[in-house]
Amino acid sequence: MNRSVHIIGSGFSSLSAASYLAKAGYKVTVLEKNDTLGGRARQYKNMGFTFDIGPTWYWMPDVFEKFFADFGKKPNDFYQLDRLKPGYQVYFDVNDSITVPGNLDAIYKIFEDEEKGSSKHLKSFLASARENYDIAVKKMVYKPGISPLELVSKETIARVSQFFSTIRKDVRKNIKSNKLIQILEFPVLFLGAKPSNTPAFYNFMNYADFGLGTWHPKGGMYKVVEGMVSLAKSLGVEFVTNAAVDKIVTDSNNAVKALQVNGEEIATDLVLSGADYHHTEQLLDNNLRQYSEKYWSKKTFAPSSLLFYVGFDKKIKNVCHHTLFFDTDFDIHAKDIYDTPKWPKNPLFYASFSSITDDSLAPEGKEAGTFLIPLAPGLEDTEELREKYFNKILERLEKLTGQDVRKSIIFKKSFCVNDFIKEYNSYKGNAYGLANILMQTAFLRPKIKSKKVKNLYFTGQLTVPGPGVPPALISGKIASDLIIKNKS
């Protein structure tokens, strides 16, 4: 008889694990507390506009290809994927922006035009980044985080100094232009940490940016969710929505025996949680929790976010699909996130105008705009604060891009710390999990296999390999491999 696995949550890591476990012969049921699947990657629709509530960037396409190939499929069996050209735009001041092209030769020219000689340094930097990418993605990130020896290889030994230097030092060694520095330091924000705290080895994110490019699934990132759900269902996975897990029930030997779902007990042989790690442990009796409140309070978390989903009654000018507004001091904003948590006075922000690329996401002649301000988790979150910061970024958008957009707003919806807690049981309302700093890498992250409860496993952004959509897919594979290997 096939063993039963109940997976808590339906985010990318859960969807990934569900398919691998079903393929291996397990009877898999995914339990989602909300009324739609996808976890943080849900969708919001209003008045003919469509928004991705969560992730909007499609990077590292090779990871998606590898996932689907494990089931004899390709991404384009489920969704249409297009490379963005240009990849994104960065604003530094009024009428002062750099648009990052969709190919390397054009990127080298952009750098050389901005700072003579910088293209030579960029080529060298990206050569190292590509080597690190191959080592990281092909050899390191699929490790289960059990032993420090997982990080030891001839390649990592040769690069050991890169683990004790930082992206910031590496980037600034040869590049002097502050604009180019900010563009090179930007990708590590996907790792949820400051460039000054991120090991130089993580420059592989720059290869993911410039080398592999920025892509868009037609219809939005939710099309990836739908594709993964379709694959999982074809393998026999059952999905149950509006299924809130209240408790993980164990027997006298501290082994999982059931889940309490909406007050009803459901027997299971094994539980894999793709929900927030801290929250999942709250579903256990206190003596069965691996990590204390003190442990979590000392961890460095990636940011939370204040998000706005805005429908405009006209097309927005002088912006790209992905547009970054770096017209304020990043170091000051970063201190407000990581060092002395507070609402930033002048935050950097990001905007996605996905309907520039994809006309299916907004009515004809109109624009769908998503705005994101990174914030420290755990901050006070009120409607007054949300409105204050919306006005701040809208004022800067109008000034920097030279247009009036405020009068063209049809509607707006916000999402912030309180919503991350309510919708996803997120610890302190964080958006991206644990930051990928040196002391929270690989075996130093919370474990996939519970040390106290038999047949309880974890997957997702708070365990290995870390935050981001591609790492979430990988985390699902790691967890399922561990379950299969242990014959749980």
Side-chain angles (χ1 to χ4, degrees):
M1 182 176 175
N2 293 346
R3 303 205 72 194
S4 62
V5 181
H6 283 75
I7 299 179
I8 305 174
S10 65
F12 282 114
S13 59
S14 295
L15 295 176
S16 170
S19 287
Y20 284 113
L21 291 170
K23 181 183 176 185
Y26 288 82
K27 184 179 183 296
V28 182
T29 304
V30 176
L31 304 170
E32 168 57 55
K33 73 180 282 288
N34 294 309
D35 58 5
T36 58
L37 301 174
R40 296 174 193 232
R42 294 184 299 155
Q43 203 173 52
Y44 167 56
K45 293 187 175 186
N46 188 21
M47 299 176 66
F49 294 82
T50 300
F51 303 86
D52 286 309
I53 291 179
T56 56
W57 290 78
Y58 192 107
W59 270 13
M60 301 169 68
D62 52 322
V63 174
F64 296 86
E65 290 165 8
K66 177 174 171 51
F67 168 76
F68 285 110
D70 284 343
F71 304 93
K73 301 290 185 181
K74 298 177 181 178
N76 63 14
D77 291 328
F78 300 97
Y79 51 89
Q80 177 186 324
L81 195 61
D82 299 305
R83 184 164 183 169
L84 294 183
K85 296 179 181 180
Y88 54 91
Q89 182 178 12
V90 185
Y91 267 96
F92 303 99
D93 206 337
V94 178
N95 299 319
D96 184 8
S97 70
I98 290 178
T99 299
V100 177
N103 69 82
L104 271 176
D105 287 340
I107 291 171
Y108 293 141
K109 185 178 186 309
I110 289 283
F111 268 63
E112 193 65 22
D113 289 346
E114 175 64 28
E115 179 183 329
K116 189 172 177 57
S118 63
S119 63
K120 175 185 174 182
H121 297 306
L122 179 61
K123 287 175 184 177
S124 174
F125 180 79
L126 288 181
S128 167
R130 179 170 189 165
E131 290 176 358
N132 288 350
Y133 187 91
D134 287 341
I135 294 165
V137 174
K138 294 177 182 177
K139 297 183 179 180
M140 289 176 61
V141 296
Y142 287 90
K143 304 288 186 182
I146 295 171
S147 164
L149 295 178
E150 293 171 5
L151 298 180
V152 180
S153 68
K154 63 181 181 181
E155 292 91 354
T156 56
I157 289 171
R159 291 164 174 77
V160 68
S161 63
Q162 294 185 26
F163 289 91
F164 295 96
S165 184
T166 67
I167 287 285
R168 169 151 290 191
K169 288 180 182 177
D170 208 20
V171 165
R172 296 176 183 228
K173 195 185 306 177
N174 295 306
I175 304 290
K176 304 306 176 189
S177 162
N178 191 52
K179 296 176 191 175
L180 300 183
I181 286 170
Q182 289 189 77
I183 289 172
L184 287 172
E185 290 184 346
F186 142 69
V188 303
L189 298 179
F190 285 94
L191 302 172
K194 293 191 294 186
S196 58
N197 281 348
T198 303
F201 180 79
Y202 283 99
N203 68 3
F204 65 74
M205 291 300 294
N206 293 99
Y207 176 70
D209 177 2
F210 290 165
L212 297 177
T214 304
W215 299 73
H216 173 71
K218 186 170 177 57
M221 286 293 288
Y222 197 71
K223 291 299 178 184
V224 185
V225 171
E226 291 178 340
M228 294 180 72
V229 169
S230 176
L231 172 65
K233 286 182 176 178
S234 75
L235 295 165
V237 176
E238 180 185 357
F239 289 89
V240 184
T241 55
N242 298 305
V245 177
D246 309 313
K247 186 173 179 62
I248 299 172
V249 183
T250 56
D251 63 18
S252 57
N253 295 316
N254 294 336
V256 166
K257 72 171 185 179
L259 289 174
Q260 187 173 299
V261 182
N262 295 334
E264 177 187 349
E265 197 164 293
I266 299 173
T268 189
D269 297 314
L270 183 143
V271 168
L272 171 63
S273 180
D276 179 272
Y277 203 122
H278 171 269
H279 167 75
T280 303
E281 288 220 312
Q282 305 309 299
L283 304 176
L284 293 162
D285 291 337
N286 192 57
N287 63 307
L288 298 178
R289 299 171 190 170
Q290 302 169 93
Y291 304 109
S292 66
E293 291 299 315
K294 184 178 180 182
Y295 169 90
W296 292 110
S297 68
K298 288 186 174 181
K299 289 297 171 186
T300 300
F301 274 81
S304 184
S305 299
L306 169 56
L307 291 137
F308 296 98
Y309 312 99
V310 185
F312 294 97
D313 69 5
K314 68 177 183 180
K315 303 302 287 184
I316 305 301
K317 298 182 298 183
N318 303 326
V319 292
C320 286
H321 180 135
H322 296 298
T323 306
L324 301 155
F325 293 86
F326 285 3
D327 54 309
T328 61
D329 192 317
F330 171 69
D331 288 339
I332 294 174
H333 187 172
K335 286 178 183 177
D336 293 341
I337 295 173
Y338 296 103
D339 301 334
T340 52
K342 63 182 178 182
W343 280 85
K345 183 177 180 182
N346 294 304
L348 282 71
F349 69 99
Y350 153 71
S352 169
F353 302 98
S354 52
S355 48
I356 289 175
T357 300
D358 189 343
D359 58 13
S360 72
L361 300 177
E364 185 177 356
K366 297 179 172 58
E367 203 86 271
T370 298
F371 299 85
L372 182 152
I373 302 173
L375 298 172
L379 294 182
E380 177 190 19
D381 172 17
T382 66
E383 288 302 321
E384 291 76 17
L385 281 166
R386 295 187 189 195
E387 192 65 22
K388 173 183 174 181
Y389 279 83
F390 183 71
N391 289 327
K392 274 179 180 280
I393 63 173
L394 214 63
E395 181 180 331
R396 282 166 52 197
L397 171 72
E398 291 181 324
K399 177 183 176 184
L400 292 165
T401 64
Q403 63 192 308
D404 177 12
V405 300
R406 196 179 301 268
K407 294 176 183 176
S408 298
I409 294 173
I410 303 169
F411 66 86
K412 77 172 187 291
K413 173 185 172 65
S414 64
F415 198 97
C416 197
V417 172
N418 292 346
D419 301 296
F420 281 101
I421 295 169
K422 177 186 174 186
E423 301 293 328
Y424 312 128
N425 295 310
S426 171
Y427 180 75
K428 291 188 176 180
N430 80 83
Y432 305 107
L434 283 176
N436 255 337
I437 59 175
L438 182 61
M439 296 308 294
Q440 293 179 175
T441 296
F443 67 97
L444 297 173
R445 298 179 75 82
K447 301 303 181 188
I448 279 186
K449 187 178 188 295
S450 173
K451 297 176 288 187
K452 292 192 174 185
V453 179
K454 186 178 179 183
N455 293 343
L456 173 60
Y457 294 80
F458 301 83
T459 187
Q461 59 188 9
L462 289 177
T463 183
V464 291
V469 178
L473 268 64
I474 294 168
S475 185
K477 178 170 172 52
I478 294 170
S480 59
D481 284 350
L482 205 56
I483 290 167
I484 295 163
K485 178 182 177 182
N486 291 338
K487 294 182 171 58
S488 295

